Amino acid sequence: MDIKQLNKQYIANTYGRYDIQLVRGVGAIGYDEKGTRYIDCTSGVGTNSFGFADPTLVAAITEQAGKMIHSSNYFYNEPATLLAKMLCERTGMSKVFFSNSGTEATEGAIKAARKYSHDKYGKGRSKIVCLHDSFHGRTMASLSATGQDLFHQHFFPFVEGFDFATAGDVAEISAKVDESTCAVLIEIVQGEGGVFVLDKEYVQAVAKLCAERDVLLLIDEVQTGNGRCGTLFAYMDYEIKPDIFYTAKGLGGGLPIGAIVFNEKTSTTFGAGHHGSTFGGNPLCTAGALSIFSRIDDAFMADVRRKGDYIRARLSESSKIKSVSGLGMMIGFELVDGLTAPEVVQECLKRGLMILTAKHKGRLLPPLNITDEELTEAMDILMSVLA
Ligand code: PLP
């Protein structure tokens, strides 16, 4: 059976795929159908926190699947409850809503921000100020919140009530956050926008002006969260407190799950019937996420930072790299003129290494538990390609 051909015939053509069919893997090592070995520095675009088929995760979801895969949100379930408790206790936040993806988490956070403001101030205060070069998802509202013209095509009309500011410009965002504004939405590291790390002083200034004007600070931790940046959530290193943050990707270690996390102020904004999801918080995905999230402890995150530093040091050795950006193991690198990220990706694949692009940059998102040996091998391959 030619899976690649069948895929092209039957699956909607929304992805530009590489010519590889992955069939199995463990940790950072994956294999195609012919047994060719690849070192993974993509982790399923930041989701496989512990690699392709982590035995502890497999055991947790196998056990849960044997008990109950799904119930519904009309009944209590233990894994979702314990995961919400752990998310709140480790962040000082108050309540969680579970979704199935990052996009849906964006959508729910937008709804919550608008409802918070409407409940308190009535109509006319629904604008959300986002940043240029952001990425928040693929539904109509999350696309509308995404600050890239590339995504504002084809699907008109988009959802109204979004405005965009340039990261780093405090005066601009201060002017845009006016009496019609209910929230500001930012990523601490703009992942899809080119692994751009926001400046700490800027983020603190935004948090301050939000607090002064009772405008909610929403932080999208879909890609940056769950240890990826060497912190539990990237905002935690910025000495600020969001009103709502939300995450997805690495939380489930490859399972589809997202979480919107509310502080005390926003914890009662959603009441019964205001939001929902059939699959959100289902026992299988939350049991898996519990297994992942409980292992992302301080020692583990220190190791993520150490390995991230190693990657940065190796990248900075190459004369073909103009700049390196990112936090922890969320890393972007900009190539010198004449070399493009897609051609580097293709050449890496030929040599058994999987990496990503982000805008014009190369991007590395290895599984967080990649071993030192695998990481050294991966960087050796990348350096040989660049040489
Ligand atoms: N927000 C950010 C910051 C993301 O990086 C992404 C995906 O790349 C999303 C939202 C959308 O998440 P999902 O693809 O799980 O819907």
Side-chain angles (χ1 to χ4, degrees):
M1 223 181 343
D2 186 342
I3 290 297
K4 290 177 198 167
Q5 198 44 51
L6 285 176
N7 186 300
K8 283 180 191 146
Q9 189 175 345
Y10 291 111
I11 294 190
N13 188 28
T14 57
Y15 304 102
R17 294 188 213 279
Y18 298 113
D19 191 30
I20 290 174
Q21 179 199 343
L22 290 170
V23 292
R24 66 190 169 86
V26 69
I29 306 299
Y31 298 91
D32 71 8
E33 80 283 13
K34 297 182 216 96
T36 311
R37 175 181 179 272
Y38 294 91
I39 306 180
D40 181 26
C41 283
T42 72
S43 62
V45 197
T47 64
N48 296 341
S49 308
F50 286 80
F52 285 111
D54 171 63
T56 310
L57 173 61
V58 172
I61 55 179
T62 305
E63 191 192 341
Q64 183 57 45
K67 287 193 213 159
M68 179 173 65
I69 294 172
H70 182 68
S71 51
S72 84
N73 282 306
Y74 291 118
F75 302 100
Y76 294 102
N77 93 58
E78 183 179 299
T81 310
L82 296 184
L83 180 61
K85 177 174 183 281
M86 197 180 288
L87 275 161
C88 289
E89 285 176 354
R90 296 185 72 186
T91 58
M93 300 290 272
S94 299
K95 273 193 170 33
V96 178
F97 175 89
F98 288 115
S99 66
N100 311 289
S101 68
T103 296
E104 287 168 81
T106 300
E107 196 75 28
I110 290 169
K111 282 177 69 178
R114 288 190 169 169
K115 183 167 185 300
Y116 173 87
S117 190
H118 190 266
D119 288 348
K120 202 161 168 184
Y121 300 99
K123 284 191 176 147
R125 201 173 181 276
S126 55
K127 181 169 85 175
I128 299 181
V129 180
C130 309
L131 296 182
H132 292 299
D133 289 327
S134 57
F135 183 80
H136 298 296
R138 298 280 188 169
T139 55
M140 289 306 292
S142 59
L143 272 182
S144 304
T146 291
Q148 299 186 51
D149 291 343
L150 177 71
F151 293 102
H152 296 171
Q153 302 184 66
H154 316 301
F155 311 116
F156 300 98
F158 286 90
V159 177
E160 56 185 46
F162 294 92
D163 199 358
F164 299 93
T166 306
D169 189 337
V170 179
E172 186 196 14
I173 199 162
S174 180
K176 292 205 165 186
V177 174
D178 55 18
E179 59 290 345
S180 71
T181 307
C182 66
V184 168
L185 169 58
I186 59 172
E187 298 153 89
I188 296 292
V189 183
Q190 296 184 317
E192 303 306 309
V195 198
F196 176 77
V197 185
L198 295 199
D199 190 62
K200 195 171 190 170
E201 286 73 47
Y202 174 73
V203 173
Q204 289 181 343
V206 171
K208 185 163 175 279
L209 76 88
C210 284
E212 284 166 1
R213 301 176 198 182
D214 195 18
V215 162
L216 298 184
L217 177 61
L218 316 181
I219 301 194
D220 179 336
E221 293 268 1
V222 168
Q223 193 164 150
T224 48
N226 313 295
R228 171 57 58 189
C229 291
T231 43
L232 196 56
F233 294 99
Y235 77 81
M236 291 176 150
D237 226 15
Y238 278 58
E239 292 148 48
I240 51 144
K241 288 202 165 95
D243 295 297
I244 295 172
F245 81 85
Y246 58 90
T247 188
K249 286 193 184 278
L251 178 63
L255 295 162
I257 182 169
I260 310 173
V261 187
F262 302 93
N263 72 359
E264 189 60 33
K265 184 162 107 171
T266 56
S267 63
T268 54
T269 299
F270 279 156
H274 292 138
H275 199 46
S277 164
T278 297
F279 291 121
N282 80 80
L284 191 72
C285 291
T286 48
L290 256 180
S291 153
I292 296 290
F293 196 65
S294 58
R295 284 183 281 156
I296 302 172
D297 58 18
D298 287 346
F300 185 80
M301 289 186 281
D303 212 40
V304 170
R305 293 194 292 275
R306 180 186 63 79
K307 289 186 279 195
D309 288 345
Y310 168 76
I311 296 172
R312 266 181 283 275
R314 289 293 306 269
L315 291 174
S316 65
E317 284 166 15
S318 172
S319 60
K320 301 286 168 54
I321 292 179
K322 260 204 287 202
S323 69
V324 180
S325 62
L327 294 174
M329 281 212 275
M330 179 172 177
I331 295 177
F333 58 90
E334 200 177 7
L335 297 156
V336 294
D337 297 345
L339 208 52
T340 69
E343 51 190 22
V344 172
V345 171
Q346 289 292 356
E347 197 49 43
C348 285
L349 284 176
K350 284 187 203 151
R351 301 185 197 196
L353 171 66
M354 304 195 291
I355 66 167
L356 292 160
T357 61
K359 283 208 156 166
H360 64 290
K361 292 186 183 177
R363 175 168 46 151
L364 302 175
L365 295 174
L368 303 179
N369 68 341
I370 189 170
T371 65
D372 286 356
E373 294 71 31
E374 289 159 352
L375 199 50
T376 304
E377 194 184 339
M379 295 313 293
D380 288 348
I381 296 173
L382 181 56
M383 288 301 125
S384 74
V385 166
L386 292 174

